[in-house]
Amino acid sequence: MTLSQTIFDFTTLAIKAGGWMDMDRIYLQNRVLGMIGEDALGEYEVKMPERTSIQLMDELVAKAKENGVVGETLAEQEIFEAQLMDLMTPPPSVVNALFAQHYSKDPKEATDYFFGLCKDNDYIKTRAIAKNIVFPAETEYGTLEITINLSKPEKDPKEIAAQRNAVTVDYPKCMLCMENEGYKGRMNYPARTNHRIIRMNLDGEGWGFQYSPYAYYNEHCIVLREEHLPMKISRKTFERLLKVIEVLPHYFVGSNADLPIVGGSILSHDHYQGGNHSFAMAKAEMEKSFTLTAYPQIKAGIVKWPMSVIRLQSVSQEQLVDCADHILAKWKVYSDESVFVRAFSEDGTPHHTITPIARRNGELFEIDLVLRDNNVSEEFPDGIFHPHPEVQHIKKENIGLIEVMGLAVLPPRLATELKEVEKYVLDQPNEIASMHVPWADEMKSSYTLTAENVTGIVQKEVGLIFAKVLEHAGVFKRDARGQAAFQRFIDTLQD
Ligand SMILES: [Zn+2]
């Protein structure tokens, strides 16, 4: 395939994406030529492209590198790729208009359109995501999902050096700000020229809708506030979450909690995460149901889940908001010293919040309220309801929204560490990390391990540890004492 054919094909796909007309072809071809450092376009065949947009991008980037117009660092290459793929992406106003046009027929058609666009223009890093190690794990709570996150590229030394010299700029304020749309990026800030945001009006407030470049599940999206304001769980949160699933009925949406230790990694910008995926928690049943006299239309219950989850179901969004807000208000001030649950420190610092998740369930609207407590103690300085030291060799990071729902995002170190664990349990030469040894010894004594079954068994055991991680994060434990304490809290909801 000649370079000229690649440029012609790239241009064809750019026009097809809706941002340009046929009249723009010569102009676009010349833009691409200029960007990759070429002087002239040669012969090409007029036909439909056989290669994908990403394959065409790779060829153009390779040419640009050969011509010395792209720097050697990964950051420079990503900035160049995003600028190239920006030509393949209509401007925000057009993307929003096309989204609205599809939406008028069917919400799913609209998200399919936007999701397709964000994959085709390489905003969603499909190839990097494919590097993740992903496996299911059967537990008493259903099939949990484990992801060892290998999608974020490792920085090379040259890049780290360049970053050290990079000027710090306070723009965009954070990775979730609207100002990222079309932003070129810097040595120490991701390239966003090809980034687009769908505008969403949630009961009069301006919000944006975008996909996550490094998705952990199908159609992993982010709903972000137009203003850079901190995360806050309140009545408004429940209203907005229910609004989002009214607008996008085929998606779930949830929010990270608004306190450190039990929250996500970004607390500075109010945002939610959603998508088209059924998590183990959504599939888990209510094991105990109850009714609250003030909310007769609501079916409520405790979910069979390692964390402490109250599920509310109703056809009435309004009642759900009222009831969820009531539970939040009660939880924020609820203490039960017998199970180490404490709403405030002596100095008045609040410790209670909720991780809420909303979804449709047939005709019903459904909200799961996961009770969170971020207290620390002398015994558990990282958090009483946080992975305890015995499981930190697998997971020590915060248990945020995605983990809460049953998908473990594990650090990249485990990809190599688990291989060493496998060698260790097979009595092969190994470099097992000492923190994994007690666990590995236990596996050795419980299983007959062979080269054929070892990976499966280690993965199964990782899944069981993840279930334990979630149990640690649960405020009311699964034993009789914990469940009695949970019931005492439920009883207070009648007031
Ligand atoms: Zn921001």
Side-chain angles (χ1 to χ4, degrees):
M1 209 66 70
T2 64
L3 179 67
S4 300
Q5 189 68 50
T6 300
I7 294 174
F8 176 81
D9 288 354
F10 185 90
T11 308
T12 302
L13 292 184
I15 294 168
K16 204 166 147 244
W20 308 96
M21 311 282 243
D22 279 327
M23 194 195 284
D24 300 314
R25 183 180 286 281
I26 294 169
Y27 164 85
L28 276 173
Q29 288 174 169
N30 284 329
R31 290 278 307 274
V32 175
L33 268 182
M35 281 183 77
I36 64 170
E38 289 286 310
D39 293 327
L41 192 71
E43 297 290 312
Y44 54 79
E45 254 182 89
V46 176
K47 55 169 190 173
M48 281 313 286
E50 285 154 13
R51 288 162 300 168
T52 65
S53 54
I54 307 289
Q55 288 169 326
L56 296 171
M57 174 188 83
D58 283 348
E59 280 185 47
L60 295 174
V61 170
K63 196 49 156 180
K65 276 182 166 172
E66 203 182 302
N67 290 337
V69 294
V70 181
E72 282 180 19
T73 64
L74 185 64
E76 286 166 294
Q77 185 181 317
E78 287 188 340
I79 286 172
F80 183 82
E81 286 173 352
Q83 287 178 326
L84 201 52
M85 296 314 266
D86 177 51
L87 295 175
M88 185 84 71
T89 317
S93 57
V94 176
V95 173
N96 272 270
L98 290 171
F99 186 90
Q101 213 175 75
H102 288 292
Y103 188 88
S104 67
K105 283 180 239 159
D106 176 22
K108 188 175 177 305
E109 193 185 304
T111 51
D112 283 350
Y113 156 69
F114 188 46
F115 186 59
L117 177 81
C118 295
K119 281 191 293 185
D120 288 345
N121 82 353
D122 201 42
Y123 180 74
I124 300 174
K125 302 289 177 199
T126 314
R127 288 184 294 184
I129 295 165
K131 290 185 189 148
N132 290 341
I133 298 172
V134 175
F135 53 91
E138 300 308 323
T139 70
E140 60 183 296
Y141 307 111
T143 310
L144 304 181
E145 297 165 279
I146 313 291
T147 291
I148 299 175
N149 184 15
L150 300 174
S151 61
K152 303 223 168 118
E154 305 264 349
K155 292 194 166 70
D156 62 36
K158 242 184 269 153
E159 189 152 24
I160 294 166
Q163 281 196 355
R164 204 172 301 132
N165 302 325
V167 194
T168 44
V169 184
D170 188 26
Y171 181 92
K173 277 202 201 74
C174 81
M175 306 262 284
L176 295 177
C177 275
M178 300 293 281
E179 286 77 15
N180 285 283
E181 193 173 46
Y183 189 63
K184 178 184 170 187
R186 306 186 299 263
M187 198 51 79
N188 55 355
Y189 199 93
R192 292 287 183 255
T193 318
N194 57 345
H195 177 35
R196 300 292 183 269
I197 301 172
I198 301 298
R199 270 55 174 182
M200 249 185 162
N201 184 313
L202 298 180
D203 290 326
E205 284 175 354
W207 285 70
F209 166 81
Q210 66 175 68
Y211 285 104
S212 169
Y214 294 101
Y216 292 126
Y217 51 83
N218 185 39
E219 296 173 52
H220 183 170
C221 68
I222 302 169
V223 178
L224 44 96
R225 196 167 181 154
E226 269 185 11
E227 294 161 282
H228 177 84
L229 289 171
M231 294 285 292
K232 172 120 186 71
I233 300 293
S234 68
R235 182 187 178 85
K236 276 298 223 184
T237 311
F238 306 129
E239 286 175 1
R240 294 185 197 117
L241 294 180
L242 289 171
K243 188 74 193 176
V244 171
I245 57 165
E246 185 192 309
V247 175
L248 302 173
H250 53 303
Y251 276 15
F252 80 90
V253 66
S255 174
N256 257 311
D258 52 356
L259 293 177
I261 299 178
V262 296
S265 52
I266 302 181
L267 290 175
S268 61
H269 192 128
D270 211 357
H271 70 285
Y272 310 129
Q273 295 182 76
N276 194 355
H277 185 66
S278 266
F279 287 88
M281 189 175 93
K283 293 175 194 156
E285 312 228 312
M286 288 196 265
E287 57 185 352
K288 193 174 183 184
S289 50
F290 57 90
T291 41
L292 298 170
T293 40
Y295 310 95
Q297 277 181 279
I298 288 184
K299 192 177 165 204
I302 294 175
V303 180
K304 188 187 173 207
W305 194 246
M307 295 181 72
S308 307
V309 188
I310 296 174
R311 179 167 294 164
L312 306 175
Q313 297 175 328
S314 180
V315 285
S316 160
Q317 284 158 272
E318 211 181 309
Q319 274 213 2
L320 274 179
V321 170
D322 286 343
C323 187
D325 189 40
H326 171 67
I327 295 173
L328 173 67
K330 286 281 183 185
W331 175 243
K332 276 170 126 174
V333 298
Y334 185 77
S335 294
D336 183 343
E337 299 283 345
S338 75
V339 286
F340 312 103
V341 160
R342 198 173 305 138
F344 300 97
S345 317
E346 275 165 31
D347 65 0
T349 307
H351 293 294
H352 282 185
T353 183
I354 275 175
T355 302
I357 299 114
R359 65 183 82 85
R360 302 289 284 266
N361 185 340
E363 290 300 297
L364 297 171
F365 286 85
E366 187 170 282
I367 293 193
D368 284 349
L369 302 172
V370 189
L371 307 178
R372 310 301 300 270
D373 175 317
N374 78 342
N375 274 292
V376 297
S377 66
E378 230 164 83
E379 190 186 359
F380 300 115
D382 300 327
I384 301 173
F385 305 102
H386 180 83
H388 291 173
E390 67 194 88
V391 294
Q392 287 188 0
H393 64 110
I394 297 294
K395 175 87 183 169
K396 60 176 172 218
E397 296 79 13
N398 287 358
I399 300 309
L401 172 69
I402 295 174
E403 277 88 13
V404 163
M405 296 186 291
L407 193 160
V409 179
L410 301 180
R413 63 175 172 88
L414 284 171
T416 41
E417 286 177 18
L418 294 181
K419 281 289 156 213
E420 296 305 317
V421 169
E422 288 186 15
K423 291 183 205 161
Y424 176 88
V425 297
L426 292 175
D427 295 320
Q428 293 169 356
N430 65 81
E431 288 171 39
I432 190 170
S434 59
M435 60 180 173
H436 292 306
V437 170
W439 172 56
D441 283 338
E442 235 181 273
M443 279 191 275
K444 267 172 100 165
S445 61
S446 330
Y447 298 97
T448 311
L449 290 144
T450 65
E452 286 71 40
N453 71 11
V454 69
T455 303
I457 287 171
V458 168
Q459 290 186 344
K460 176 182 155 201
E461 288 289 318
V462 168
L464 295 177
I465 290 177
F466 179 51
K468 215 175 271 176
V469 162
L470 294 180
E471 285 169 355
H472 290 170
V475 290
F476 296 119
K477 300 307 177 197
R478 303 278 308 159
D479 57 13
R481 186 157 154 257
Q483 291 305 296
F486 203 164
Q487 186 57 49
R488 285 198 294 280
F489 172 64
I490 301 285
D491 291 343
T492 70
L493 300 177
Q494 298 291 1
D495 306 339

